[in-house]
Amino acid sequence: MLNIIKKKLSKSFDRNKRSIQPKLLDAALYEDSVAEGLFDPLWYQHQYKLFFDTPEAAFNDYLRKSKFSNVAPSMNFDPVSYFHNNPDVYAVSESPLLHYLRFGRYEGRQAYPLRPLWNSSDNINVSEYKHKREGRYAVVLHIFYEDFIKKFHNAFMGVDFEFDLFITTTSKAVEKKAKLVFENNPAIKNINVTNVPNKGRNFGGFLVEYSKDLLEYDFVCHLHSKKSLYSGSEQVHWAEYLLEYLARDKQILSKMLNIFEQDEKLGLFYPTTFWNMPQWTCHWLKNKGIGNKTLKEWFDLKQDKDFFSYPAGGMFWAKKDALKPILERSWSYDDFPEEPIPADGTILHVIERILPIVAENEGFKSFYYYPPTGEFTIDESFIFLEYQFGLDYRMNMLCSQQEICSFDIFDTLVWRKFYEPDYAKYLLPERAELSITGEEFVELRNNAELDVRKKKHFKGDVSIHEVYVELANNKVINASDVDKLSDLEFEIDLSMISPKEVMVSFLNSLSEQGKEIYIVSDTYYSKAQIEKLLSVVGVKAPYKLYVSSDMQMRKDNGSIWEHLSKGLKSQNKIDKFVHIGDNVVSDSQIPGDFDLRTLHILAPKDKWQAQSLCEIPSEAFGIKNISEMKRWGLLLSKQCVNPFL
C-alpha cells in the first residue's frame, strides 16, 4: 500500500521536481506518517497554497512550522487540540505529529481529526497579483538578544527584493556582529546600525532614530527580538510565528508583497493573532484611557471599540503613507517609560494598537495571513475566533480538568433588563418620594460614592451603606433613612436582574460533579445582598463568596486575586482553579498576572460587536435619555443573554 501511495505522490510532484532534493529530517517517520494517513503531502500543498519540489520537502516544511504554528499535516490530525491536551509537548517546541508518532500513541495520548476553527470571508485572490517589485524597501530590526542576529539573517536570505537595513541595539557586541553577518546578504544595499539607550524597546529606536529616514521608502518591515515572558517563562513560539509569516516563508512573503504593491487600498499587514494567545489579547486591555488620550492629542482620533485587530507583538509590514502621521511626529526617548516597564498600560502598548487606527484614517485597510487555511484576508473577525464555540466545547473542556471553578456575577451569571446599572438609582427618588429628580439623584449618589473612595485613598472598596451615609452627611437624605434607602436601591436593581440561564445551570451542574464553587465580585452591595441575589437567580450550589465591599479587596486592582492566589498556592491547588467572567481586565488579564487560569466570556457590548450588528448610539448608555436607554438597553441585554456566538 505504501508503494502505491509513493507512486501517486511522485507523479503529483514531478512538475516541481529539481535535481537537488532536500535532506529529509526523519525518513522513517515520514513513511510512517504517510502510511498511517496522518501526513498527506497533496492535501498539505493544496491547503496552504504552497508548492514543493517533493513530498518530502512538504513534510520538512510541516515539521519546521508545526513546532510553533497551527498548521495541520492532514485532515486526520489536529495540532491545536494535541498541543492543548499535552502542554508538555508545546513547552519544549516539539512537532505535535512527531511527538505522537514517537511517543504519544504508545503513551495513550489521543489524537483527533482536524477541527477547523475559523473560515475567513473577504479573502484576497492571490492569483490576481503579479510579481513586479516596484518601490523602495526598508527593513528595521531591533535586536536586543544576540541570538536573533542569525534568525533575522536567515529569514531575509533569498528574498526577491532589494532593501536597506536599519538596526537598533543596546549592545556593542550586537552592533559589531550584526554588521559582519548581514553583509553576506546580497539583497541588502545599505546597512545602518545605531546603538540606542535601553528605553522604548522596539518602538523607541524605530521612531526616534529612523522615523524620518523611513519617509523616503515605500514599504517598511519592522521586526524585533521578541522573547515573551507571557506565561512566566521564555516563550519562543510567538516570535517564531511572527518571523515565519512576515519574512521567513518566501512563498508567503512573495505573495504578500505582490498584493501589497498592487492594491492601493492596503496599508498594513501582519498574520492573525498568535493562535495560542487568548483572544482577548485583541482588546484595549489596560490601554484604553492612555490610548484614546494619545489618539486625541496626536491625531484627533478615537477608538470606541474595545475589541479590534492590531499587530500584537509589534511586528508588521506597512506602507510608509499608511503610517505617515506617526513617522512625521517629532520623537525623543523622553516619550517612552524607563525600564522595567509594566506588562501592559504604557505608550509602547498603545503604539502597536493605534497603528491600524492611524492607517485607516489615512485611507488604508489592514490585511492578514491566516496560517491554518493559507488565506490572505481583510476579514478581522478572527479577533472573536475562540468565542464561536459553545458551552460544551469551551467551558466543559477546561472546567472538567479543574477542582475549583470560580464565577463573576454581573454580566456573567446575571443580566440587567435595561443593561444600565444607574437605572436603579434613577428610579429610587420616585419610589422613595424624594423631592429630587432621578437624574439629579444619580449624580449626587455617584459623587458620594467617589467621595468615600477618595476618603479611603482609593484603598479597599466602598459599601452601599457607606455611600448612603455620605449622602446623609451631604444632606441629600435623612440619616434615619440610610438603611431603608440603601436596601431600596438594591431591591429596585434586583427586580430588574435575571439569570443567564445557561451560565447558572452550568455552575449548578459543576457543583453536582463535585467541583468546588467560588463566586467573586467587585460590588458595593453587601455580602448578604449578594447571597439573596444568587438565591433569587437560581444558584443552588454551595459556594465560597468573595465580595469586594465585604473583603475590602477588589478584582480590578488585583488585591482579591493576590489573596486567592496565595491561598491556592499554599494548598497546592493553583493548577486546579479556573475563573470565568466577562470583564477582560479584571476577570482575565489581572488574575492571569497572579498565575490563575481564566476563561473569558463575552460581555454584552462585546458580543454585540462580534455579531456585526448596527452601532449602538451613545444615548443608549447612561441616564441622559431614558427612552433611548431603555429601548437599546433591553435589546442589548436580551440579544446577549448567551455570552457565546
Side-chain angles (χ1 to χ4, degrees):
M1 182 64 183
L2 183 57
N3 289 332
I4 295 174
I5 295 173
K6 285 181 177 179
K7 288 179 181 179
K8 288 183 177 179
L9 292 176
S10 294
K11 290 180 180 179
S12 299
F13 282 80
D14 273 347
R15 66 183 185 278
N16 295 319
K17 191 167 288 189
R18 297 174 184 167
S19 58
I20 300 176
Q21 302 302 326
K23 181 180 179 181
L24 187 59
L25 297 181
D26 197 313
L29 283 174
Y30 165 73
E31 294 196 356
D32 193 8
S33 65
V34 172
E36 294 289 330
L38 296 176
F39 182 72
D40 183 340
L42 292 176
W43 180 90
Y44 187 82
Q45 181 167 258
H46 175 76
Q47 175 74 1
Y48 301 115
K49 301 161 186 67
L50 302 172
F51 296 95
F52 301 97
D53 301 338
T54 65
E56 292 81 2
F59 188 63
N60 283 352
D61 186 79
Y62 166 73
L63 290 183
R64 180 174 57 78
K65 290 176 179 174
S66 63
K67 297 175 183 179
F68 54 81
S69 184
N70 47 344
V71 293
S74 71
M75 287 293 293
N76 297 321
F77 187 89
D78 186 70
V80 173
S81 63
Y82 196 82
F83 271 144
H84 284 172
N85 293 332
N86 303 284
D88 57 317
V89 180
Y90 177 82
V92 296
S93 299
E94 186 165 0
S95 167
L97 177 60
L98 223 59
H99 181 273
Y100 176 74
L101 290 171
R102 284 175 170 164
F103 311 109
R105 57 182 169 178
Y106 306 114
E107 297 170 352
R109 305 196 194 205
Q110 295 297 309
Y112 298 97
L114 179 63
R115 190 167 190 260
L117 300 180
W118 181 63
N119 287 311
S120 56
S121 60
D122 294 322
N123 293 334
I124 297 171
N125 186 353
V126 177
S127 64
E128 294 179 359
Y129 301 90
K130 306 304 178 185
H131 184 281
K132 288 187 177 180
R133 294 302 167 269
E134 298 172 342
R136 298 190 65 198
Y137 285 82
V139 173
V140 185
L141 306 177
H142 178 66
I143 307 178
F144 187 82
Y145 300 103
E146 187 173 335
D147 57 317
F148 269 76
I149 295 175
K150 184 177 180 180
K151 285 180 185 287
F152 288 142
H153 170 68
N154 292 341
F156 282 96
M157 284 296 290
V159 297
D160 60 1
F161 59 94
E162 292 185 332
F163 64 96
D164 288 344
L165 178 62
F166 297 85
I167 298 173
T168 58
T169 181
T170 60
S171 164
K172 289 290 185 182
V174 169
E175 181 180 1
K176 181 178 180 180
K177 183 176 180 180
K179 288 179 180 178
L180 293 173
V181 171
F182 283 105
E183 283 177 353
N184 296 318
N185 189 335
I188 300 176
K189 296 188 293 182
N190 300 291
I191 301 176
N192 303 273
V193 184
T194 302
N195 198 276
V196 299
N198 187 23
K199 197 175 183 187
R201 298 199 175 177
N202 61 301
F203 285 121
F206 176 83
L207 294 170
V208 176
E209 304 295 340
Y210 296 138
S211 60
K212 301 305 176 287
D213 294 310
L214 298 177
L215 290 168
E216 302 300 318
Y217 295 85
D218 300 295
F219 306 98
V220 177
C221 175
H222 179 49
L223 305 174
H224 62 97
S225 54
K226 186 173 188 61
K227 290 192 177 182
S228 173
L229 301 181
Y230 172 76
S231 63
S233 60
E234 183 181 317
Q235 299 291 302
V236 299
H237 311 80
W238 190 3
E240 291 293 321
Y241 175 88
L242 292 172
L243 184 58
E244 182 71 24
Y245 298 116
L246 288 168
R248 189 161 51 207
D249 189 309
K250 300 304 181 294
Q251 292 190 57
I252 294 171
L253 178 62
S254 184
K255 291 176 185 178
M256 183 277 289
L257 293 177
N258 291 347
I259 298 168
F260 216 18
E261 284 187 339
Q262 296 165 60
D263 193 325
E264 296 180 354
K265 303 186 300 295
L266 301 177
L268 192 65
F269 168 78
Y270 45 96
T272 54
T273 308
F274 179 53
W275 61 275
N276 207 30
M277 292 287 285
Q279 220 64 43
W280 50 258
T281 302
C282 304
H283 190 278
W284 267 123
L285 298 181
K286 297 177 184 177
N287 306 289
K288 189 170 186 177
I290 184 176
N292 272 321
K293 181 175 183 288
T294 300
L295 283 172
K296 177 64 177 175
E297 291 178 355
W298 291 2
F299 312 114
D300 197 25
L301 296 174
K302 187 179 182 181
Q303 170 62 286
D304 288 321
K305 294 178 181 177
D306 288 329
F307 274 90
F308 54 95
S309 69
Y310 66 94
M315 303 191 218
F316 55 88
W317 276 90
K319 284 179 180 168
K320 170 257 298 184
D321 288 338
L323 302 186
K324 196 171 183 180
I326 294 176
L327 298 176
E328 287 182 334
R329 286 194 81 255
S330 295
W331 293 91
S332 76
Y333 287 105
D334 292 336
D335 294 322
F336 302 99
E338 297 282 352
E339 294 285 349
I341 68 169
D344 197 27
T346 75
I347 191 63
L348 293 168
H349 302 97
V350 166
I351 290 174
E352 68 177 356
R353 284 170 169 81
I354 68 173
L355 295 174
I357 301 170
V358 172
E360 184 176 1
N361 191 59
E362 293 298 298
F364 294 96
K365 294 181 179 180
S366 299
F367 72 116
Y368 322 99
Y369 179 77
Y370 184 53
T373 61
E375 295 283 2
F376 290 92
T377 181
I378 59 173
D379 181 1
E380 73 165 3
S381 65
F382 64 85
I383 64 176
F384 293 112
L385 187 154
E386 71 180 26
Y387 301 104
Q388 69 182 317
F389 301 111
L391 201 63
D392 290 343
Y393 179 78
R394 295 191 66 236
M395 294 201 299
N396 282 332
M397 181 179 70
L398 187 55
C399 292
S400 65
Q401 304 165 7
Q402 311 307 318
E403 295 178 3
I404 304 169
C405 298
S406 169
F407 291 82
D408 169 52
I409 298 176
F410 296 98
D411 289 329
T412 297
L413 293 175
V414 304
W415 59 283
R416 287 183 168 98
K417 181 177 180 180
F418 299 110
Y419 184 71
E420 178 56 59
D422 278 350
Y423 189 46
K425 306 166 193 173
Y426 177 88
L427 294 174
L428 186 143
E430 182 179 353
R431 301 279 180 90
E433 298 182 344
L434 301 179
S435 57
I436 188 174
T437 68
E439 190 171 331
E440 290 170 335
F441 182 77
V442 170
E443 183 176 3
L444 291 168
R445 186 256 183 247
N446 289 346
N447 285 340
E449 181 180 336
L450 179 60
D451 289 342
V452 176
R453 294 189 188 281
K454 287 178 178 177
K455 290 177 181 179
K456 290 187 168 186
H457 305 289
F458 294 95
K459 294 181 179 179
D461 204 0
V462 173
S463 72
I464 193 170
H465 181 81
E466 290 174 312
V467 173
Y468 277 80
V469 168
E470 186 70 11
L471 284 170
N473 293 338
N474 295 339
K475 310 302 182 184
V476 177
I477 62 172
N478 295 323
S480 59
D481 291 334
V482 165
D483 290 339
K484 179 182 72 174
L485 294 180
S486 61
D487 286 343
L488 180 59
E489 179 184 324
F490 169 73
E491 293 297 335
I492 294 172
D493 199 11
L494 181 60
S495 71
M496 296 184 288
I497 286 176
S498 297
K500 288 194 171 184
E501 298 287 357
V502 68
M503 297 299 297
V504 172
S505 296
F506 181 65
L507 182 154
N508 288 331
S509 70
L510 288 174
S511 177
E512 292 170 0
Q513 296 167 34
K515 309 292 184 183
E516 188 174 1
I517 304 298
Y518 288 8
I519 296 178
V520 189
S521 182
D522 278 350
T523 180
Y524 38 73
Y525 291 140
S526 68
K527 188 173 183 180
Q529 288 171 327
I530 293 298
E531 287 172 341
K532 180 177 181 179
L533 182 155
L534 293 171
S535 175
V536 167
V537 300
V539 173
K540 297 180 172 60
Y543 54 80
K544 288 185 178 179
L545 182 59
Y546 299 86
V547 175
S548 62
S549 62
D550 174 68
M551 299 179 67
Q552 291 300 299
M553 299 177 184
R554 288 184 63 85
K555 293 190 299 180
D556 60 12
N557 66 15
S559 52
I560 279 184
W561 300 124
E562 183 178 19
H563 172 78
L564 283 174
S565 179
K566 286 180 179 177
L568 290 166
K569 286 178 178 177
S570 69
Q571 303 171 58
N572 293 319
K573 289 186 175 182
I574 192 74
D575 294 330
K576 301 298 183 181
F577 173 94
V578 61
H579 176 73
I580 302 168
D582 72 290
N583 188 293
V584 169
V585 175
S586 63
D587 287 317
S588 293
Q589 184 184 25
I590 295 177
D593 293 339
F594 291 95
D595 303 321
L596 296 168
R597 186 172 300 179
T598 66
L599 189 150
H600 180 252
I601 62 173
L602 288 173
K605 286 201 292 185
D606 297 330
K607 183 178 178 182
W608 186 277
Q609 179 192 341
Q611 292 174 303
S612 300
L613 300 174
C614 62
E615 186 173 346
I616 300 177
S618 59
E619 294 82 4
F621 306 107
I623 45 85
K624 295 293 184 183
N625 189 325
I626 295 299
S627 62
E628 285 293 284
M629 181 275 293
K630 291 179 72 174
R631 183 164 72 94
W632 284 98
L634 182 61
L635 187 61
L636 175 63
S637 290
K638 285 195 170 182
Q639 179 71 21
C640 303
V641 168
N642 186 324
F644 300 97
L645 300 177

